[in-house]
């Protein structure tokens, strides 16, 4: 009998935001289970180091410099993946930013960046891989949302919450639209997880509150990586639609 772990072996998986945190851990977990991983982020020095470590452990990996806010970068990422490995089986839309502040502080530039990365970046990723997945009759898009996509994170995370609510809406709509083509869609909504996300706030008061909250509650990044692996390793006719995970101590 084939184990579920074998459902990952040989799959070609793109992970955005792979230079640290959730993305790095997810890439490591997928590679350890035999996936060919394509690491995407802006910080290529970190990507190159991770590629070397995965290869030293016997895995297959390449790195592609990518800013998910630029559609052309996502198209190049998909093209590089197909050139290296011949296909795309999994996209983990993980790249995200979380600059928190109350709306009345009017950090409009940060709002723009949050929307560009958290919403447009997800859509650009989908646009780059979906035609290829539909053409091959299979594929899996995993979108990393947030607990803040289930409940509005007021008073400092309203705009961030709006972007993560959008990710959930996009994911659910996509699931309904593409299911008959063999493409699966999963939303993973984490709570406080160890990553660089918590360092994104330029508003000093908000940054201090977030730092204290995370230090009191956060769980390791591989908590999310295991959730992604769980969804990806299911048989092709099983779609884990949504995984919500929090630290046990987290109320929000």
């Amino acid at each position: 009998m084939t184990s579920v772990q074998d459902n990952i072996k040989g799959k070609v998986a793109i992970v955005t935001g792979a230079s640290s945190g959730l993305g790095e851990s997810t890439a490591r977990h997928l590679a350890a289970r035999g996936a060919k991983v394509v690491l995407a982020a802006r910080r290529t020095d970190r990507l190159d180091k991770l590629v070397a470590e995965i290869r030293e452990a016997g895995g297959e990996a390449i790195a592609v410099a990518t800013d998910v806010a630029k559609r052309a970068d996502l198209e190049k990422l998909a093209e590089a993946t197909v050139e290296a490995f011949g296909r795309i089986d999994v996209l983990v839309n993980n790249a995200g930013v979380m600059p928190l502040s109350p709306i009345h502080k009017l950090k409009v530039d940060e709002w723009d960046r949050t929307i560009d990365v958290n919403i447009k970046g997800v859509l650009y990723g989908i646009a780059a891989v979906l035609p290829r997945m539909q053409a091959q009759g299979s594929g899996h898009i995993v979108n990393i949302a947030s607990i803040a996509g289930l409940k509005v994170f007021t008073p400092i995370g309203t705009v961030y919450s709006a972007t993560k609510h959008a990710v959930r809406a996009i994911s659910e709509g996509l699931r309904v639209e593409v299911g008959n083509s063999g493409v699966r869609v999963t939303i993973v909504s984490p709570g406080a997880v160890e990553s660089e996300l918590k360092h994104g706030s330029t508003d000093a008061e908000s940054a201090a509150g977030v730092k204290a909250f995370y230090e009191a509650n956060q769980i390791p990044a591989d908590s999310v990586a295991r959730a992604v692996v769980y969804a990806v390793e299911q048989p092709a006719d099983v779609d884990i639609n949504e995984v919500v995970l929090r630290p046990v101590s987290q109320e929000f």
Side-chain angles (χ1 to χ4, degrees), residues 36-81:
K36 301 170 184 178
V37 294
V38 179
L39 312 178
R42 291 178 298 164
R43 295 177 293 187
T44 53
D45 55 333
R46 292 194 179 196
L47 293 183
D48 291 341
K49 182 174 182 291
L50 181 55
V51 165
E53 291 174 6
I54 289 172
R55 288 177 176 171
E56 284 171 15
E60 293 186 64
I62 63 169
V64 181
T66 307
D67 180 349
V68 298
K70 298 177 180 176
R71 184 181 178 188
D73 278 18
L74 272 301
E75 293 295 334
K76 289 176 184 174
L77 172 62
E79 289 166 6
T81 301

Side-chain angles (χ1 to χ4, degrees), residues 9 28 71 88 91 94 125 133 140 160 178 201 212 235 249 252:
K9 189 173 183 180
R28 289 184 188 277
R71 184 181 178 188
I88 302 171
L91 167 65
N94 165 73
M133 290 181 174
H140 197 159
Y160 177 73
V178 303
S201 304
S249 59
F252 168 70

Side-chain angles (χ1 to χ4, degrees), residues 33-157:
R33 285 157 179 76
K36 301 170 184 178
V37 294
V38 179
L39 312 178
R42 291 178 298 164
R43 295 177 293 187
T44 53
D45 55 333
R46 292 194 179 196
L47 293 183
D48 291 341
K49 182 174 182 291
L50 181 55
V51 165
E53 291 174 6
I54 289 172
R55 288 177 176 171
E56 284 171 15
E60 293 186 64
I62 63 169
V64 181
T66 307
D67 180 349
V68 298
K70 298 177 180 176
R71 184 181 178 188
D73 278 18
L74 272 301
E75 293 295 334
K76 289 176 184 174
L77 172 62
E79 289 166 6
T81 301
V82 172
E83 185 177 341
F85 297 123
R87 58 188 289 121
I88 302 171
D89 296 300
V90 180
L91 167 65
V92 182
N93 265 322
N94 165 73
V97 294
M98 191 177 71
L100 303 175
S101 63
I103 286 181
H104 71 81
K105 298 281 181 86
L106 300 182
K107 292 186 177 287
V108 179
D109 288 345
E110 292 185 359
W111 300 350
D112 285 342
R113 180 65 180 166
T114 306
I115 290 166
D116 286 347
V117 174
N118 293 3
I119 301 179
K120 289 183 179 180
V122 167
L123 288 169
Y124 292 159
I126 292 168
V129 306
L130 185 58
R132 293 172 169 90
M133 290 181 174
Q134 289 182 305
Q136 68 197 22
S138 66
H140 197 159
I141 296 171
V142 181
N143 294 328
I144 306 300
S146 171
I147 293 298
L150 298 166
K151 181 179 179 182
V152 179
F153 185 18
T154 58
I156 61 173

Side-chain angles (χ1 to χ4, degrees), residues 150-240:
L150 298 166
K151 181 179 179 182
V152 179
F153 185 18
T154 58
I156 61 173
T158 301
V159 174
Y160 177 73
S161 276
T163 66
K164 292 304 186 177
H165 275 74
V167 170
R168 294 188 69 245
I170 291 163
S171 303
E172 174 59 9
L174 180 64
R175 180 190 71 80
V176 175
E177 288 188 38
V178 303
N180 288 334
S181 67
V183 178
R184 303 187 292 180
V185 180
T186 299
I187 313 164
V188 177
S189 298
V193 174
E194 166 58 33
S195 75
E196 294 182 357
L197 204 63
K198 61 180 177 286
H199 301 309
S201 304
T202 60
D203 177 61
E205 189 176 354
S206 299
V210 169
K211 182 174 183 288
F213 176 76
Y214 269 73
E215 287 179 353
N217 292 283
Q218 68 187 8
I219 50 180
D222 68 358
S223 311
V224 177
R226 290 196 303 271
V228 173
V229 166
Y230 169 69
V232 173
E233 73 185 4
Q234 299 305 310
D237 60 347
V238 177
D239 189 359
I240 302 298

